[in-house]
């Protein structure tokens, strides 16, 4: 494009009110112009403004080009429409910050192992399973990621602007012998990345990697999804909380304790299954605290509402619940009230159905400090009596937990401890609808006052007639839907809990409907897919972009040969495939920042490439396994990165003529 029809970036920024620009790689520049006016220096003619955005879906990769199935593939296009009806396209691509197992800059002139595991004292945990090849364990499963900025960063070596990412590592799959299962046996690391943002291109370059000291949180247990709080902190998670009543026989937890503390009996089961929060410091370090008052559940991903107080939570469990926490103070999750949802009749997989109303049952109010004190001192038998067979005693209540029935009774004076340390059992006892299977990511559409929850699968406890099913929960489907779906929750003010007490929030889920569902295939397709590859399959990560009016959906599927990242426009109802992960890998780390120093970012990671599942990968495994091994450190590595652009030159806006 000629110079007379181009607009200098500095001049463009002068005109923009709230710019929204997608970062492009190399020397290319890309942009999304959002709701702004502008014009030439004499202000004679207004510029065209952003009107809407949509994605042009990419095809799913196939064995026609095996290399595409063995890497992160992004062949989608972002189309922008302006107020003068003109359009502009942005071809997308993927840019990793690193592959786990890389040596990356530590900001001190040295290097550090990306995704490396350390013990409670900060010393490397060594994999000794292959004699003569001892090495520090590193994760193949990066997950929740938050991208943010600080007002006064002090990290040296920044040429553009300093921005930060917090990245957590959920687990590692195998020791290097390929035989020793390491799931849940290592304390999850969490890192702060300092990134140098090129002001011309938006490109992000890693300049410092810092391991957060997790000892104030007693170490971290299986950190999965994450979100950025409205006040700029990273809200982490601890999923699959270990069962305190069977902990003596839990070999995984003993191994975790051994690797963390050097003693398989030292870890306290009640210290895990909570919500950690990381605050990034201007020097690129981070500090962590763990909140004990949001319920001890299978925390997957929390979403705090715009009031800075109300949070809804995914519960990645079988017989899981839908939970809400309302903090006493804004921007402070250290004290508040915990609720569990009780659903009325009307739950349906039909998006056109009216939906199911929600009543909220108050479980208790507490501070993190008082629950931590209880966790430090109490044993499970101090809190509850639990029986796996019917005690024929009316003082016990039958509940469903992890797909099985139990009978429980709270000890006198222990309701608060039960509510916050035995949350699944207590919520079931109090009448919560503990029916969901693998409720994963949670996000919010602020403009429409709608929240979304992903159900990776709709199985077992949700299926009528299943041993884990309880009709009183009012969550029932006729047959399992392995491909799962996304729920939409209407958010309302003026709600009361089941006791008739007003809930102090204007962002309370009041009705739940189905937004999207996948489609199981009766027989596998030619590639091996067990669910329709042109629909969502086992949705996990969810993030909503207010600017793009788009719900982004990342998959964790044993039903798609490659897991996909989708974009669903809530206005047009169009679902577009944006990216494909390496075969056998889960899409993780999804995050959307609409405006970070004028640029828009979509973060995306993946886990455990080449984690072959039979029969899903039987057709592709022999072809793809050597390619995946070559790409990702013999399958021990995985990547942390973001979606970027692949365009040579783009006008930010039209120059008036």
């Amino acid at each position: 494009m000629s110079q007379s029809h181009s607009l200098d970036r500095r001049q463009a920024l002068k005109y923009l009110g709230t710019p929204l620009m997608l970062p492009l790689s190399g020397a290319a520049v890309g942009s999304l112009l959002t709701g702004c006016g502008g014009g030439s220096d004499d202000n004679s003619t207004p510029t065209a403004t952003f009107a809407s955005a949509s994605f042009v879906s990419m095809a799913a990769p196939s064995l026609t080009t095996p290399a595409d199935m063995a890497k992160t593939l992004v062949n989608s296009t972002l189309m922008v429409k302006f107020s003068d009806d003109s359009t502009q396209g942005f071809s997308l691509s993927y840019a990793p910050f690193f592959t786990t197992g890389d040596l990356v800059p530590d900001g001190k002139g040295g290097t550090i192992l990306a995704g490396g595991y350390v013990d409670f004292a900060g010393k490397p945990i060594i994999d000794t399973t292959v004699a003569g090849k001892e090495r520090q364990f590193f994760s193949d499963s990066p997950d929740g990621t938050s991208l943010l900025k600080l007002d006064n960063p002090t990290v040296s070596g920044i040429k553009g602007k300093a921005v930060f990412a917090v990245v957590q590592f959920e687990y590692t799959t195998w020791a290097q012998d390929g035989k020793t299962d390491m799931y849940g046996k290592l304390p999850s690391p969490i890192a702060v990345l300092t990134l140098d943002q090129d002001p011309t291109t938006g490109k992000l370059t890693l300049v410092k990697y810092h391991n957060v000291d997790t000892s104030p949180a007693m170490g971290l247990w299986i950190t999965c999804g994450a979100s950025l709080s409205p006040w700029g902190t990273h809200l982490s998670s601890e999923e699959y909380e270990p069962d305190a009543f069977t902990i003596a026989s839990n070999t995984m937890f003993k191994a975790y304790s051994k690797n963390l503390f050097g003693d398989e009996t030292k870890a306290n089961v009640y210290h895990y299954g909570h919500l950690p929060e990381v605050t990034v410091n201007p020097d690129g370090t981070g500090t962590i605290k763990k909140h004990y008052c949001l319920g001890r559940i299978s925390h997957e991903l929390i979403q705090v509402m715009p009031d800075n107080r109300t949070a809804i939570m995914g519960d990645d469990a079988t017989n899981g619940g839908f939970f809400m926490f309302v903090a006493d103070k804004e921007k402070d999750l250290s004290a508040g009230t915990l609720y569990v949802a009780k659903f009325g009749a009307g739950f349906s997989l039909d998006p056109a159905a009216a939906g199911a109303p929600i009543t909220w049952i108050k479980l208790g109010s507490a501070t993190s400090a008082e629950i931590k004190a209880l966790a430090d001192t109490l044993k499970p038998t101090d809190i509850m009596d639990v029986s796996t067979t019917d005690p024929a005693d009316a003082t016990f209540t039958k509940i469903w937990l992890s797909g099985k029935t139990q009978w429980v009774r709270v000890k006198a004076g222990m309701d608060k401890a039960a509510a916050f340390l035995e949350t699944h059992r207590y919520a079931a006892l109090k009448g919560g609808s503990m029916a969901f299977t693998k409720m994963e990511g949670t996000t919010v559409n602020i403009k429409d006052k709608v929240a979304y929850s992903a159900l990776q699968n709709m199985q077992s406890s949700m299926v009528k007639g299943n041993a884990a099913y309880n009709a009183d929960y009012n969550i029932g489907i006729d047959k399992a839907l392995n491909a799962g779906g996304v729920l939409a929750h209407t958010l309302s003010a003026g709600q009361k809990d089941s006791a008739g007490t007003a809930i102090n929030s204007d962002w309370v889920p009041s009705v739940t409907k189905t937004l999207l569902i996948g489609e199981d295939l009766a027989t596998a397709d030619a590639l091996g897919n067990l669910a329709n590859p042109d629909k969502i399959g086992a949705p996990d990560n969810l993030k909503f972009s207010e600017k793009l009016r788009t719900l982004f959906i990342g998959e964790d599927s044993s039903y798609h040969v490659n897991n996909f990242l989708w974009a669903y426009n809530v206005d047009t109802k169009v679902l577009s495939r944006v990216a494909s992960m390496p075969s056998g890998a889960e899409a993780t780390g999804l995050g959307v920042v609409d405006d970070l120093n004028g640029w828009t970012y979509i973060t995306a990671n993946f886990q455990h490439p080449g984690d072959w599942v039979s029969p899903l990968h039987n057709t592709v495994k022999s072809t793809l396994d050597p390619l995946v091994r070559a790409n990702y450190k013999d399958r021990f590595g995985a990547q942390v990165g973001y979606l970027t652009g692949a365009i040579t030159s783009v006008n930010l806006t039209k120059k008036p003529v």
Side-chain angles (χ1 to χ4, degrees), residues 39-288:
S40 63
D41 286 337
D42 60 7
N43 294 319
S44 59
T45 308
T47 60
T49 59
F50 171 84
S52 63
S54 61
F55 287 86
V56 178
S57 188
M58 59 175 268
S62 71
L63 285 176
T64 302
T65 311
D68 286 349
M69 300 185 69
K71 67 179 182 180
T72 300
L73 180 69
V74 186
N75 278 340
S76 53
T77 302
L78 175 61
M79 298 299 298
V80 181
K81 184 177 181 180
F82 295 95
S83 57
D84 62 358
D85 288 333
S86 64
T87 59
Q88 192 164 22
F90 299 83
S91 297
L92 303 178
S93 63
Y94 183 68
F97 299 134
F98 57 79
T99 302
T100 58
D102 286 350
L103 290 174
V104 294
D106 64 1
K108 305 173 184 177
T111 59
I112 188 172
L113 187 69
Y117 286 90
V118 297
D119 63 16
F120 197 75
K123 296 180 179 179
I125 302 174
I126 304 301
D127 181 348
T128 60
T129 59
V130 178
K133 295 185 178 180
E134 293 79 6
R135 69 184 187 189
Q136 184 180 1
F137 276 109
F138 59 88
S139 176
D140 67 346
S141 298
D143 207 300
T145 299
S146 296
L147 198 61
L148 57 104
K149 67 177 181 178
L150 299 176
D151 291 335
N152 298 297
T154 60
V155 181
S156 61
I158 300 295
K159 298 177 181 179
K161 292 186 177 181
V163 299
F164 302 93
V166 184
V167 181
Q168 57 197 44
F169 300 89
E170 186 176 358
Y171 58 89
T172 197
T173 308
W174 301 102
Q176 62 175 323
D177 64 0
K179 301 176 183 178
T180 305
D181 182 0
M182 295 305 298
Y183 179 82
K185 296 178 180 178
L186 295 166
S188 294
I190 192 162
V192 174
L193 315 181
T194 302
L195 306 167
D196 192 347
Q197 183 189 52
D198 188 313
T200 302
T201 67
K203 180 181 178 181
L204 301 174
T205 303
L206 178 66
V207 298
K208 179 179 179 179
Y209 181 108
H210 170 78
N211 260 336
V212 176
D213 176 10
T214 64
S215 61
M218 305 304 295
L220 300 179
W221 169 266
I222 311 181
T223 53
C224 194
S227 66
L228 182 66
S229 74
W231 51 93
T233 59
H234 175 86
L235 301 178
S236 181
S237 58
E238 291 185 314
E239 82 175 352
Y240 308 132
E241 82 285 8
D243 183 9
F245 283 88
T246 60
I247 204 64
S249 60
N250 189 327
T251 56
M252 181 173 70
F253 189 72
K254 289 179 180 179
Y256 171 87
S257 181
K258 177 73 172 179
N259 284 312
L260 178 60
F261 294 111
D263 181 345
E264 68 176 21
T265 66
K266 189 170 183 179
N268 178 345
V269 65
Y270 280 141
H271 287 161
Y272 308 100
H274 301 286
L275 184 90
E277 181 177 14
V278 175
T279 299
V280 177
N281 302 318
D283 64 354
T285 63
T287 55
I288 192 168

Side-chain angles (χ1 to χ4, degrees), residues 365-438:
S365 298
T367 68
S368 179
E370 64 181 315
I371 302 304
K372 170 64 161 55
L374 295 176
D376 290 344
T377 57
L378 294 178
K379 298 180 177 62
T381 51
D382 296 329
I383 301 171
M384 275 185 166
D385 294 317
V386 173
S387 176
T388 56
T389 59
D390 188 350
D393 184 336
T395 63
F396 282 79
T397 300
K398 182 181 180 180
I399 66 167
W400 281 257
L401 180 77
S402 299
K404 298 179 180 179
T405 53
Q406 291 188 354
W407 287 259
V408 299
R409 178 176 61 188
V410 179
K411 296 287 184 70
M414 287 292 168
D415 280 88
K416 181 170 287 191
F420 292 94
L421 296 177
E422 289 293 339
T423 308
H424 275 132
R425 289 183 170 95
Y426 191 75
L429 185 152
K430 289 296 183 179
S433 291
M434 306 298 288
F436 293 104
T437 50
K438 296 189 72 62

Side-chain angles (χ1 to χ4, degrees), residues 533-555:
D534 293 324
K535 296 184 179 181
I536 60 172
D540 188 329
N541 285 209
L542 294 182
K543 286 292 187 297
F544 187 77
S545 168
E546 295 287 333
K547 298 288 187 181
L548 302 181
R549 297 286 294 161
T550 296
L551 176 66
F552 292 93
I553 305 166
E555 295 181 341

